[in-house]
Amino acid sequence: MSTLKGATEECLHSFAMAIEQLDQQCEPAACQDLQEEFDRVKVWADNLGAFAHGHSALEWRLRDLDLMRSTTFTLLHLLQKTLLES
């Protein structure tokens, strides 16, 4: 199983690719909406410590909470899958 940091990075990369595709298709309203969601996910990741190190890292804080950890992975993968399919 990958890390939560890695899963979050993959998700953010998928967001960036989707935004780029929309921008190339000249759909400014959709691109702006997606950019706002992208910004929200980045704030979420920063607030939860997805990219933090040590004891403040999300990975560390969820180390003994298997259900929360797997649910977070599942949600990140579902979001990434949705972004890749669009």
Side-chain angles (χ1 to χ4, degrees):
M1 183 178 269
S2 64
T3 64
L4 287 170
K5 178 182 177 182
T8 304
E9 287 172 342
E10 290 172 10
C11 192
L12 293 178
H13 178 72
S14 296
F15 255 111
M17 288 180 9
I19 290 168
E20 184 178 322
Q21 285 178 337
L22 281 177
D23 191 41
Q24 291 173 356
Q25 295 172 3
C26 298
E27 297 184 30
C31 190
Q32 183 179 354
D33 290 345
L34 191 57
Q35 181 65 50
E36 289 174 9
E37 294 305 319
F38 180 45
D39 293 340
R40 285 185 182 107
V41 171
K42 288 191 296 187
V43 169
W44 170 85
D46 287 341
N47 286 343
L48 288 181
F51 301 114
H53 299 284
H55 294 290
S56 60
L58 181 61
E59 194 78 43
W60 171 262
R61 294 191 334 247
L62 297 182
R63 70 191 180 283
D64 295 326
L65 302 170
D66 293 334
L67 180 60
M68 286 294 281
R69 189 172 185 275
S70 66
T71 300
T72 304
F73 266 116
T74 299
L75 293 173
L76 286 168
H77 289 297
L78 285 172
L79 179 56
Q80 182 181 15
K81 181 180 174 186
T82 300
L83 289 164
L84 293 173
E85 291 175 353
S86 57

Coordinates of all heavy atoms in Angstrom, one line a residue:
M1 N 0.9 -1.2 0.0 CA 0.0 0.0 0.0 C 0.9 1.2 0.0 O 1.9 1.3 0.7 CB -0.9 0.0 1.2 CG -1.9 1.2 1.3 SD -3.0 1.1 2.7 CE -4.3 0.2 2.0
S2 N 0.5 2.2 -0.8 CA 1.3 3.4 -0.9 C 1.1 4.3 0.4 O 0.2 4.0 1.2 CB 1.0 4.2 -2.1 OG -0.3 4.6 -2.1
T3 N 1.7 5.4 0.4 CA 1.6 6.3 1.6 C 0.4 7.3 1.3 O 0.0 7.5 0.1 CB 2.8 7.2 1.8 OG1 3.1 8.0 0.7 CG2 4.0 6.3 2.1
L4 N -0.1 7.9 2.3 CA -1.2 8.9 2.1 C -0.6 10.1 1.4 O -1.3 10.8 0.6 CB -1.7 9.3 3.5 CG -2.6 8.3 4.1 CD1 -3.0 8.6 5.6 CD2 -3.9 8.1 3.3
K5 N 0.7 10.4 1.7 CA 1.3 11.5 1.0 C 1.4 11.3 -0.5 O 1.1 12.1 -1.3 CB 2.7 11.7 1.6 CG 3.5 12.8 0.9 CD 4.9 13.0 1.4 CE 5.7 14.0 0.6 NZ 7.1 14.1 1.1
G6 N 1.8 10.1 -0.9 CA 1.9 9.7 -2.3 C 0.5 9.7 -2.9 O 0.3 10.2 -4.1
A7 N -0.5 9.2 -2.3 CA -1.9 9.2 -2.8 C -2.4 10.6 -3.0 O -3.0 10.9 -4.0 CB -2.8 8.4 -1.9
T8 N -2.1 11.5 -2.0 CA -2.5 12.9 -2.2 C -1.8 13.6 -3.3 O -2.4 14.3 -4.1 CB -2.2 13.6 -0.8 OG1 -2.9 13.0 0.2 CG2 -2.7 15.1 -0.9
E9 N -0.5 13.3 -3.5 CA 0.3 13.9 -4.6 C -0.3 13.4 -5.9 O -0.4 14.2 -6.9 CB 1.8 13.5 -4.5 CG 2.5 14.2 -3.4 CD 3.9 13.7 -3.1 OE1 4.2 12.5 -3.6 OE2 4.7 14.4 -2.5
E10 N -0.6 12.1 -6.0 CA -1.2 11.6 -7.3 C -2.5 12.3 -7.6 O -2.8 12.6 -8.7 CB -1.4 10.1 -7.2 CG -0.1 9.3 -7.2 CD -0.3 7.8 -6.9 OE1 -1.5 7.4 -6.9 OE2 0.7 7.1 -6.7
C11 N -3.3 12.5 -6.6 CA -4.6 13.2 -6.7 C -4.4 14.6 -7.2 O -5.1 15.1 -8.1 CB -5.4 13.1 -5.4 SG -7.1 13.6 -5.5
L12 N -3.5 15.3 -6.6 CA -3.3 16.7 -7.0 C -2.7 16.8 -8.4 O -3.1 17.7 -9.2 CB -2.3 17.4 -6.0 CG -2.8 17.6 -4.6 CD1 -1.7 18.2 -3.7 CD2 -4.1 18.4 -4.6
H13 N -1.9 15.8 -8.8 CA -1.4 15.8 -10.2 C -2.6 15.5 -11.1 O -2.6 16.2 -12.2 CB -0.4 14.6 -10.3 CG 0.2 14.5 -11.7 ND1 1.0 15.4 -12.2 CD2 -0.1 13.5 -12.6 CE1 1.3 15.0 -13.5 NE2 0.7 13.9 -13.7
S14 N -3.5 14.7 -10.8 CA -4.7 14.4 -11.6 C -5.5 15.7 -11.8 O -6.1 16.0 -12.8 CB -5.5 13.3 -11.1 OG -4.8 12.1 -11.1
F15 N -5.6 16.4 -10.7 CA -6.4 17.7 -10.7 C -5.7 18.7 -11.7 O -6.4 19.3 -12.5 CB -6.4 18.4 -9.3 CG -7.7 18.3 -8.6 CD1 -7.8 17.6 -7.5 CD2 -8.8 19.0 -9.0 CE1 -8.9 17.5 -6.7 CE2 -9.9 19.0 -8.3 CZ -10.0 18.2 -7.2
A16 N -4.4 18.8 -11.6 CA -3.6 19.7 -12.5 C -3.8 19.3 -14.0 O -4.0 20.1 -14.8 CB -2.2 19.7 -12.1
M17 N -3.8 18.0 -14.2 CA -4.0 17.5 -15.6 C -5.4 17.8 -16.1 O -5.6 18.2 -17.2 CB -3.7 16.0 -15.7 CG -2.3 15.7 -15.6 SD -1.8 13.9 -15.7 CE -3.3 13.0 -16.1
A18 N -6.4 17.6 -15.3 CA -7.8 17.9 -15.6 C -8.0 19.4 -15.9 O -8.7 19.8 -16.9 CB -8.7 17.4 -14.6
I19 N -7.4 20.2 -15.1 CA -7.5 21.7 -15.3 C -6.8 22.1 -16.6 O -7.4 22.9 -17.4 CB -6.9 22.4 -14.1 CG1 -7.8 22.2 -12.9 CG2 -6.7 23.9 -14.4 CD1 -7.1 22.7 -11.6
E20 N -5.7 21.5 -16.9 CA -5.0 21.8 -18.1 C -5.8 21.4 -19.3 O -5.9 22.1 -20.3 CB -3.6 21.1 -18.2 CG -2.8 21.4 -19.4 CD -1.4 20.7 -19.3 OE1 -0.9 20.6 -18.2 OE2 -1.0 20.2 -20.4
Q21 N -6.5 20.2 -19.3 CA -7.3 19.7 -20.4 C -8.5 20.7 -20.6 O -8.8 21.0 -21.7 CB -7.8 18.3 -20.1 CG -6.8 17.3 -20.3 CD -7.4 15.9 -20.0 OE1 -8.3 15.8 -19.2 NE2 -6.8 14.9 -20.5
L22 N -9.1 21.1 -19.5 CA -10.3 22.0 -19.6 C -9.8 23.4 -20.2 O -10.5 24.0 -21.0 CB -10.9 22.2 -18.3 CG -11.9 21.2 -17.8 CD1 -12.4 21.5 -16.4 CD2 -13.1 21.0 -18.8
D23 N -8.6 23.8 -19.8 CA -8.1 25.1 -20.3 C -7.9 25.0 -21.8 O -8.1 26.0 -22.5 CB -6.8 25.4 -19.5 CG -6.4 26.8 -19.8 OD1 -7.2 27.8 -19.8 OD2 -5.2 27.1 -19.9
Q24 N -7.4 23.9 -22.2 CA -7.1 23.7 -23.7 C -8.4 23.6 -24.5 O -8.5 24.0 -25.6 CB -6.3 22.5 -23.9 CG -4.9 22.6 -23.4 CD -4.1 21.3 -23.5 OE1 -4.6 20.2 -23.9 NE2 -2.8 21.3 -23.2
Q25 N -9.5 23.2 -23.8 CA -10.8 23.1 -24.5 C -11.6 24.4 -24.4 O -12.7 24.4 -24.9 CB -11.6 21.9 -23.9 CG -11.0 20.6 -24.0 CD -11.8 19.5 -23.2 OE1 -12.8 19.8 -22.6 NE2 -11.3 18.3 -23.3
C26 N -10.9 25.4 -23.9 CA -11.6 26.7 -23.8 C -12.9 26.7 -23.0 O -13.9 27.3 -23.5 CB -11.7 27.4 -25.2 SG -10.2 27.6 -26.0
E27 N -12.9 26.1 -21.9 CA -14.1 26.0 -21.0 C -13.7 26.8 -19.7 O -13.5 26.2 -18.7 CB -14.5 24.6 -20.8 CG -14.9 23.9 -22.0 CD -15.5 22.5 -21.7 OE1 -16.0 22.3 -20.7 OE2 -15.3 21.6 -22.6
P28 N -13.7 28.1 -19.8 CA -13.2 28.9 -18.6 C -14.1 28.7 -17.4 O -13.5 28.6 -16.3 CB -13.3 30.3 -19.1 CG -14.1 30.3 -20.3 CD -14.1 29.0 -20.9
A29 N -15.4 28.6 -17.5 CA -16.2 28.4 -16.3 C -15.9 27.1 -15.6 O -15.8 27.0 -14.4 CB -17.7 28.5 -16.6
A30 N -15.9 26.0 -16.4 CA -15.6 24.7 -15.8 C -14.2 24.7 -15.2 O -14.0 24.1 -14.2 CB -15.8 23.6 -16.9
C31 N -13.3 25.3 -15.9 CA -11.9 25.3 -15.5 C -11.8 26.1 -14.1 O -11.1 25.7 -13.2 CB -11.0 26.0 -16.5 SG -9.2 25.9 -16.2
Q32 N -12.5 27.2 -14.0 CA -12.5 28.0 -12.8 C -13.1 27.1 -11.6 O -12.6 27.1 -10.5 CB -13.3 29.3 -12.9 CG -13.2 30.1 -11.7 CD -14.0 31.4 -11.9 OE1 -14.4 31.8 -13.0 NE2 -14.1 32.2 -10.8
D33 N -14.2 26.4 -11.9 CA -14.8 25.6 -10.9 C -13.9 24.5 -10.4 O -13.8 24.3 -9.2 CB -16.1 25.0 -11.4 CG -17.2 26.0 -11.6 OD1 -17.1 27.1 -11.1 OD2 -18.2 25.7 -12.3
L34 N -13.2 23.9 -11.4 CA -12.3 22.8 -11.0 C -11.1 23.4 -10.3 O -10.6 22.7 -9.3 CB -11.9 22.0 -12.3 CG -11.1 20.8 -12.0 CD1 -11.9 19.8 -11.2 CD2 -10.7 20.1 -13.4
Q35 N -10.6 24.5 -10.6 CA -9.5 25.2 -9.9 C -9.9 25.5 -8.5 O -9.1 25.3 -7.6 CB -9.1 26.5 -10.6 CG -7.9 27.2 -10.0 CD -6.6 26.4 -10.1 OE1 -6.3 25.9 -11.2 NE2 -6.0 26.2 -9.0
E36 N -11.1 25.9 -8.2 CA -11.6 26.1 -6.9 C -11.6 24.9 -6.0 O -11.2 24.8 -4.9 CB -12.9 26.8 -6.9 CG -12.9 28.2 -7.3 CD -14.3 28.8 -7.5 OE1 -15.3 28.2 -7.0 OE2 -14.4 29.9 -8.0
E37 N -12.0 23.8 -6.6 CA -12.0 22.5 -5.9 C -10.6 22.0 -5.7 O -10.3 21.5 -4.6 CB -12.8 21.4 -6.7 CG -14.3 21.7 -6.8 CD -14.9 21.9 -5.5 OE1 -14.6 21.2 -4.5 OE2 -15.8 22.8 -5.4
F38 N -9.7 22.2 -6.7 CA -8.3 21.9 -6.5 C -7.7 22.7 -5.3 O -7.0 22.1 -4.5 CB -7.6 22.3 -7.8 CG -6.1 22.0 -7.9 CD1 -5.6 20.8 -7.4 CD2 -5.2 22.9 -8.4 CE1 -4.2 20.5 -7.4 CE2 -3.9 22.6 -8.5 CZ -3.4 21.5 -8.0
D39 N -8.0 24.0 -5.3 CA -7.5 24.8 -4.1 C -8.0 24.2 -2.8 O -7.3 24.2 -1.8 CB -7.9 26.2 -4.3 CG -7.2 26.9 -5.5 OD1 -6.2 26.3 -6.0 OD2 -7.7 27.9 -6.0
R40 N -9.3 23.8 -2.8 CA -9.8 23.3 -1.5 C -9.1 22.0 -1.1 O -8.9 21.8 0.1 CB -11.3 23.0 -1.7 CG -12.2 24.2 -1.7 CD -13.7 23.8 -1.8 NE -14.5 25.0 -1.8 CZ -15.1 25.5 -2.9 NH1 -15.1 24.8 -4.0 NH2 -15.8 26.6 -2.8
V41 N -8.8 21.1 -2.1 CA -8.1 19.9 -1.7 C -6.7 20.2 -1.2 O -6.2 19.5 -0.3 CB -8.1 18.9 -2.9 CG1 -7.2 17.7 -2.7 CG2 -9.5 18.4 -3.3
K42 N -6.1 21.2 -1.8 CA -4.7 21.5 -1.4 C -4.8 22.1 0.1 O -3.9 21.7 0.9 CB -4.1 22.6 -2.3 CG -3.7 22.0 -3.6 CD -2.8 23.0 -4.4 CE -3.6 24.2 -4.8 NZ -2.8 25.1 -5.7
V43 N -5.8 22.9 0.4 CA -5.9 23.4 1.8 C -6.2 22.2 2.7 O -5.6 22.1 3.8 CB -7.1 24.4 1.8 CG1 -7.4 24.8 3.3 CG2 -6.6 25.7 1.1
W44 N -7.1 21.3 2.3 CA -7.4 20.1 3.1 C -6.1 19.3 3.4 O -5.9 18.9 4.5 CB -8.4 19.2 2.4 CG -8.6 17.9 3.0 CD1 -9.5 17.6 4.0 CD2 -8.0 16.7 2.6 NE1 -9.4 16.2 4.3 CE2 -8.5 15.7 3.5 CE3 -7.0 16.3 1.7 CZ2 -8.0 14.3 3.4 CZ3 -6.6 15.0 1.6 CH2 -7.1 14.0 2.4
A45 N -5.3 19.1 2.3 CA -4.1 18.3 2.5 C -3.1 19.0 3.5 O -2.5 18.4 4.3 CB -3.4 18.1 1.2
D46 N -3.0 20.3 3.3 CA -2.1 21.1 4.2 C -2.6 21.1 5.6 O -1.8 20.9 6.6 CB -2.0 22.5 3.7 CG -1.1 22.7 2.5 OD1 -0.4 21.7 2.2 OD2 -1.3 23.7 1.8
N47 N -3.9 21.3 5.8 CA -4.5 21.3 7.2 C -4.4 20.0 7.9 O -4.2 20.0 9.1 CB -5.9 21.8 7.1 CG -6.1 23.2 6.8 OD1 -5.2 24.0 7.0 ND2 -7.3 23.6 6.4
L48 N -4.5 18.9 7.1 CA -4.4 17.6 7.8 C -3.0 17.1 7.9 O -2.7 16.0 8.5 CB -5.3 16.6 7.0 CG -6.7 16.8 7.2 CD1 -7.5 15.7 6.4 CD2 -7.2 16.7 8.6
G49 N -2.1 17.7 7.2 CA -0.7 17.3 7.3 C -0.3 16.2 6.4 O 0.6 15.4 6.7
A50 N -1.0 16.2 5.2 CA -0.7 15.1 4.2 C 0.8 15.2 3.8 O 1.4 14.2 3.4 CB -1.6 15.2 3.1
F51 N 1.4 16.4 3.8 CA 2.8 16.5 3.3 C 3.7 16.8 4.5 O 4.9 17.1 4.2 CB 2.8 17.7 2.3 CG 2.0 17.4 1.1 CD1 0.9 18.2 0.8 CD2 2.2 16.4 0.2 CE1 0.1 18.0 -0.3 CE2 1.4 16.1 -0.9 CZ 0.3 16.9 -1.1
A52 N 3.2 16.8 5.7 CA 4.0 17.1 6.8 C 5.0 15.9 7.2 O 4.8 14.8 6.6 CB 3.2 17.4 8.1
H53 N 5.9 16.1 8.0 CA 6.9 15.1 8.4 C 6.7 14.9 9.9 O 6.2 15.7 10.7 CB 8.3 15.5 8.1 CG 8.5 15.8 6.7 ND1 8.7 14.8 5.8 CD2 8.6 16.9 6.0 CE1 8.9 15.3 4.6 NE2 8.8 16.6 4.6
G54 N 7.2 13.7 10.4 CA 7.2 13.4 11.8 C 5.8 13.2 12.4 O 4.9 12.7 11.7
H55 N 5.7 13.6 13.6 CA 4.4 13.4 14.4 C 3.2 14.2 13.9 O 2.1 13.9 14.2 CB 4.6 13.6 15.9 CG 5.6 12.6 16.4 ND1 5.3 11.3 16.6 CD2 6.8 12.7 16.9 CE1 6.3 10.6 17.1 NE2 7.3 11.5 17.3
S56 N 3.5 15.2 13.1 CA 2.4 16.1 12.6 C 1.9 15.5 11.3 O 0.8 16.0 10.8 CB 2.8 17.5 12.5 OG 3.9 17.6 11.6
A57 N 2.5 14.5 10.7 CA 2.1 14.0 9.4 C 0.8 13.2 9.6 O 0.6 12.5 10.6 CB 3.2 13.1 8.9
L58 N 0.0 13.3 8.6 CA -1.3 12.5 8.5 C -1.0 11.0 8.6 O -1.7 10.3 9.4 CB -2.1 12.9 7.3 CG -3.4 12.2 7.1 CD1 -4.4 12.5 8.2 CD2 -4.0 12.5 5.7
E59 N 0.0 10.6 7.9 CA 0.4 9.2 8.0 C 0.7 8.7 9.4 O 0.2 7.7 9.8 CB 1.6 9.0 7.1 CG 1.9 7.5 6.8 CD 1.0 7.0 5.7 OE1 0.8 7.7 4.7 OE2 0.6 5.8 5.9
W60 N 1.4 9.5 10.2 CA 1.7 9.2 11.6 C 0.4 9.2 12.4 O 0.2 8.3 13.2 CB 2.7 10.2 12.1 CG 3.0 10.0 13.6 CD1 2.4 10.8 14.6 CD2 3.8 9.1 14.2 NE1 2.8 10.3 15.8 CE2 3.7 9.3 15.6 CE3 4.6 8.0 13.8 CZ2 4.3 8.5 16.5 CZ3 5.3 7.3 14.7 CH2 5.1 7.5 16.1
R61 N -0.4 10.2 12.3 CA -1.6 10.3 13.1 C -2.6 9.3 12.9 O -3.4 8.9 13.8 CB -2.2 11.7 13.0 CG -1.2 12.8 13.5 CD -1.8 14.2 13.6 NE -2.9 14.4 12.7 CZ -2.9 15.3 11.7 NH1 -1.9 16.0 11.4 NH2 -4.0 15.5 10.9
L62 N -2.6 8.7 11.7 CA -3.6 7.6 11.4 C -2.9 6.2 11.4 O -3.6 5.2 11.0 CB -4.2 7.8 10.0 CG -5.0 9.1 9.8 CD1 -5.6 9.1 8.4 CD2 -6.1 9.2 10.8
R63 N -1.7 6.1 12.0 CA -1.0 4.9 12.0 C -1.7 3.7 12.7 O -1.6 2.6 12.3 CB 0.4 5.1 12.6 CG 0.4 5.3 14.1 CD 1.7 5.8 14.6 NE 1.7 6.0 16.0 CZ 1.1 7.1 16.6 NH1 0.6 8.0 15.9 NH2 1.1 7.2 17.9
D64 N -2.5 4.0 13.7 CA -3.3 3.0 14.4 C -4.7 3.0 14.1 O -5.5 2.3 14.8 CB -3.1 3.2 15.9 CG -1.6 3.0 16.4 OD1 -0.9 2.1 15.7 OD2 -1.2 3.7 17.3
L65 N -5.2 3.8 13.2 CA -6.6 3.9 12.8 C -6.8 3.3 11.4 O -7.0 4.1 10.4 CB -7.0 5.4 12.9 CG -6.8 6.0 14.3 CD1 -7.1 7.5 14.2 CD2 -7.8 5.4 15.3
D66 N -6.8 2.0 11.3 CA -6.8 1.4 10.0 C -8.0 1.8 9.2 O -7.9 2.0 8.0 CB -6.8 -0.1 10.1 CG -5.4 -0.6 10.7 OD1 -4.4 0.1 10.5 OD2 -5.4 -1.7 11.3
L67 N -9.2 1.9 9.8 CA -10.4 2.2 9.1 C -10.3 3.6 8.5 O -10.6 3.8 7.3 CB -11.6 2.0 9.9 CG -13.0 2.3 9.3 CD1 -13.2 1.4 8.1 CD2 -14.1 2.2 10.2
M68 N -9.9 4.6 9.3 CA -9.8 5.9 8.8 C -8.7 6.1 7.7 O -8.9 6.8 6.7 CB -9.4 6.9 10.0 CG -10.5 7.1 10.9 SD -11.8 8.1 10.1 CE -11.1 9.7 10.2
R69 N -7.6 5.3 7.9 CA -6.5 5.4 6.9 C -7.0 4.8 5.6 O -6.8 5.4 4.5 CB -5.3 4.6 7.4 CG -4.1 4.7 6.6 CD -2.9 4.1 7.3 NE -1.7 4.3 6.6 CZ -1.3 3.6 5.6 NH1 -2.0 2.5 5.2 NH2 -0.1 3.8 5.0
S70 N -7.7 3.6 5.6 CA -8.1 3.0 4.4 C -9.3 3.8 3.7 O -9.3 3.9 2.5 CB -8.6 1.6 4.6 OG -9.7 1.5 5.5
T71 N -10.1 4.4 4.6 CA -11.2 5.3 4.0 C -10.6 6.5 3.3 O -11.0 6.9 2.2 CB -12.1 5.7 5.1 OG1 -12.7 4.6 5.7 CG2 -13.2 6.6 4.6
T72 N -9.6 7.1 3.9 CA -8.9 8.2 3.3 C -8.3 7.8 1.9 O -8.4 8.5 0.9 CB -7.8 8.8 4.2 OG1 -8.5 9.2 5.5 CG2 -7.2 10.1 3.6
F73 N -7.6 6.7 1.9 CA -7.0 6.2 0.7 C -8.1 6.0 -0.4 O -8.0 6.4 -1.5 CB -6.3 4.8 0.9 CG -4.9 4.9 1.1 CD1 -4.4 4.5 2.4 CD2 -4.0 5.4 0.2 CE1 -3.0 4.6 2.6 CE2 -2.7 5.5 0.4 CZ -2.1 5.0 1.6
T74 N -9.2 5.3 0.0 CA -10.3 5.1 -0.9 C -10.9 6.4 -1.5 O -11.1 6.5 -2.7 CB -11.4 4.3 -0.2 OG1 -10.9 3.0 0.3 CG2 -12.6 4.0 -1.1
L75 N -11.1 7.3 -0.6 CA -11.6 8.6 -1.1 C -10.7 9.3 -2.1 O -11.1 9.9 -3.1 CB -12.0 9.5 0.0 CG -13.2 9.0 0.9 CD1 -13.3 9.9 2.1 CD2 -14.5 9.0 0.1
L76 N -9.4 9.3 -1.8 CA -8.4 9.9 -2.6 C -8.3 9.2 -4.0 O -8.3 9.8 -5.0 CB -7.0 9.9 -2.0 CG -6.8 10.9 -0.9 CD1 -5.5 10.6 -0.1 CD2 -6.8 12.3 -1.4
H77 N -8.4 7.8 -3.9 CA -8.4 7.1 -5.2 C -9.6 7.3 -6.0 O -9.6 7.4 -7.3 CB -8.1 5.6 -4.9 CG -6.7 5.3 -4.5 ND1 -5.6 5.5 -5.2 CD2 -6.3 4.8 -3.3 CE1 -4.5 5.2 -4.6 NE2 -4.9 4.7 -3.4
L78 N -10.8 7.4 -5.4 CA -12.0 7.7 -6.1 C -12.0 9.1 -6.7 O -12.4 9.2 -7.9 CB -13.2 7.5 -5.2 CG -13.7 6.1 -4.8 CD1 -14.7 6.2 -3.7 CD2 -14.1 5.4 -6.0
L79 N -11.5 10.0 -6.0 CA -11.4 11.4 -6.6 C -10.4 11.4 -7.8 O -10.7 11.9 -8.8 CB -10.9 12.3 -5.5 CG -10.7 13.8 -5.9 CD1 -12.0 14.4 -6.5 CD2 -10.2 14.6 -4.7
Q80 N -9.3 10.7 -7.6 CA -8.3 10.6 -8.7 C -9.0 9.9 -10.0 O -8.8 10.4 -11.1 CB -7.1 9.9 -8.3 CG -6.0 9.8 -9.4 CD -4.8 9.1 -9.0 OE1 -4.8 8.4 -8.0 NE2 -3.7 9.3 -9.8
K81 N -9.7 8.8 -9.7 CA -10.3 8.1 -10.8 C -11.3 9.0 -11.5 O -11.4 9.0 -12.8 CB -11.0 6.8 -10.2 CG -11.7 6.0 -11.3 CD -12.3 4.8 -10.6 CE -13.1 4.0 -11.7 NZ -13.9 2.9 -11.1
T82 N -12.1 9.7 -10.8 CA -13.1 10.6 -11.3 C -12.4 11.7 -12.2 O -12.9 12.0 -13.3 CB -13.9 11.3 -10.2 OG1 -14.6 10.3 -9.5 CG2 -15.0 12.2 -10.8
L83 N -11.3 12.2 -11.7 CA -10.6 13.3 -12.5 C -10.0 12.7 -13.7 O -10.0 13.4 -14.8 CB -9.5 13.9 -11.6 CG -10.0 14.7 -10.5 CD1 -8.8 15.0 -9.5 CD2 -10.5 16.1 -11.0
L84 N -9.5 11.5 -13.7 CA -8.9 10.9 -14.9 C -10.0 10.5 -15.9 O -9.7 10.5 -17.1 CB -8.1 9.6 -14.5 CG -6.8 9.9 -13.7 CD1 -6.2 8.6 -13.2 CD2 -5.9 10.8 -14.5
E85 N -11.2 10.2 -15.5 CA -12.2 9.8 -16.4 C -12.9 11.0 -17.1 O -13.6 10.8 -18.1 CB -13.3 9.0 -15.7 CG -12.8 7.6 -15.3 CD -13.8 6.8 -14.5 OE1 -14.8 7.4 -14.1 OE2 -13.5 5.7 -14.2
S86 N -12.7 12.2 -16.5 CA -13.4 13.3 -17.1 C -12.7 14.0 -18.2 O -11.6 13.7 -18.6 CB -13.6 14.4 -16.0 OG -12.4 14.8 -15.4

